[in-house]
Amino acid sequence: MIEETEARRRILEAVDPGPVETVPLGEATGRFSGREIFASVDLPRFDNSAMDGYAVRAVDAGTGAFLRILEEQPAGTDRGLAVDPGGAVRIFTGAPLPAGADAVVMQEDVRADAASGRIEILDGVQPGENIRRRGSDVCASQRLLDPGDRVNAVRTGLLASQGIVKVEVFAKPRIAVVTTGDELVPPGTERIEAGQIFNSNGPMLAALAAEFGGSPRQFHAIDEAESLRAVLAEALADADAVIVAGGVSVGDRDLVKAELRNLGVREEFWRVRVRPGKPFVFGMAGRVPVFGLPGNPVSAWMTFMLFVAPALCRMRGENRERLATGLPLPRIEALAAERFENTGDRPHYLRCRLESDGRVRRVGAQESHALHGLSRAGVLVRLEPGEVREPGDAIRGYRL
Ligand code: AMP
Ligand code: MG
């Protein structure tokens, strides 16, 4: 049995970033940048007005001053105008700032008199007011994205604002999800016999694999050596990573380890000191990582988050050292709403919720089959063996 951090470190050392491909920006959304991306243009691209109003010299535009309206500068074209002393240029949001102007008076803060062609300043401005300076958001050559950063909607917009139309993203790793067990039937099966259950790990692990950037394909094997071997061989033939769920424990029907070995998979370690998730097994089939997850649904989810998710993040270029330190989830520090104690000899992850007063309380059944409890959790608390937290004590965990 090895420690959780040691297990993750060894997995991260065994997997490497995968290949990248170039796709149109619209298809990059939701995927992961394959390289660093640098800005090529300043944003804003030119000094411009943040308001509809009048471009002025602040020194001329104190409260009560009268200014001559010179010309009009709309957005979308630079008329090359200038503001002379005592003058004001009518301007609109996003329009280039005329030479000589160093502030914009909002139109709400002037009284315009069409007959005299003048404005009266009702509320004076300071230099720089209502002006968006060139490069104040982004400077050309500034780094915008790191390898492994998700191209979310905002970043899609950011890249578009640079005029970018193609993006290098990591190719989606092909992930084989193999569930095992005689008792399992696919959801949708009309007649479910006594003793059978619906396969929930297959859909859950496929969803997780997709969430972490992979392209999943599901397989199922019964607990019989030869057919299991055949399914595992098929899964291994065409995958960048293989996840097997169930059959990795010590029961007579737990055949996964033996059949992986028969297929030439090199077992790196088996069993990790963590609860839930102890029977986790990790091996390598050449360069292809193989993750054996316990079948209990919460254990399967937990070991995916502890060991598979960091590996998938690494396969898309994320920094190995950063991933080694914990789960790829946002951390949270909060106060305990009730007493927590880990009386066991393994670190324990507990499914909790964050209450409206910011305190953390266990939610639902904590057993490793209890998927509903997990589904209601918003916080995952980690307790070391022997650790006790009294109500009101600080408590650490992850945000789900
Ligand atoms: P195992 O690790 O194969 O001993 O399975 C442990 C428990 O998880 C058993 O109660 C199984 O029925 C259950 N289980 C295994 N695989 C799945 C699955 N794909 N979906 C739902 N439950 C499963
Ligand atoms: Mg089983």
Side-chain angles (χ1 to χ4, degrees), residues 180-184 221 223 245-249 253-256 295-296:
T180 69
D182 294 338
E183 72 279 29
L184 299 166
D223 296 317
V248 294
S249 201
R253 293 263 157 195
D254 291 336
L255 308 168
V256 168
N296 269 313

Side-chain angles (χ1 to χ4, degrees), residues 55-116:
V56 297
R57 296 170 1 125
V59 64
D60 298 343
T63 304
F66 285 86
L67 301 176
R68 279 170 295 115
I69 305 173
L70 302 168
E71 299 220 46
E72 190 167 297
Q73 172 59 71
T77 168
D78 189 344
R79 298 186 57 208
L81 301 177
V83 171
D84 305 324
V89 165
R90 178 78 172 120
I91 197 164
F92 300 92
T93 306
L97 194 70
D102 63 358
V104 168
V105 191
M106 288 165 65
Q107 67 188 32
E108 293 87 337
D109 291 340
V110 308
R111 191 178 296 127
D113 177 20
S116 67

Side-chain angles (χ1 to χ4, degrees), residues 216-256:
R217 191 172 155 208
Q218 289 182 54
F219 299 83
H220 184 72
I222 56 168
D223 296 317
E224 190 275 315
E226 257 163 57
S227 46
L228 174 61
R229 195 183 320 148
V231 172
L232 289 173
E234 195 192 340
L236 278 163
D238 203 19
D240 301 307
V242 175
I243 301 169
V244 191
V248 294
S249 201
V250 290
D252 293 342
R253 293 263 157 195
D254 291 336
L255 308 168
V256 168

Side-chain angles (χ1 to χ4, degrees), residues 313-332:
C313 293
R314 177 65 188 150
M315 288 169 86
R316 59 169 201 248
E318 274 190 40
N319 178 286
R320 181 187 286 158
E321 284 66 43
R322 196 174 61 200
L323 291 166
T325 61
L327 280 78
L329 291 172
R331 289 174 195 266
I332 176 172

Side-chain angles (χ1 to χ4, degrees), residues 214 307-309 314 335 367:
F307 307 120
V308 185
R314 177 65 188 150
L335 300 181
E367 290 93 342

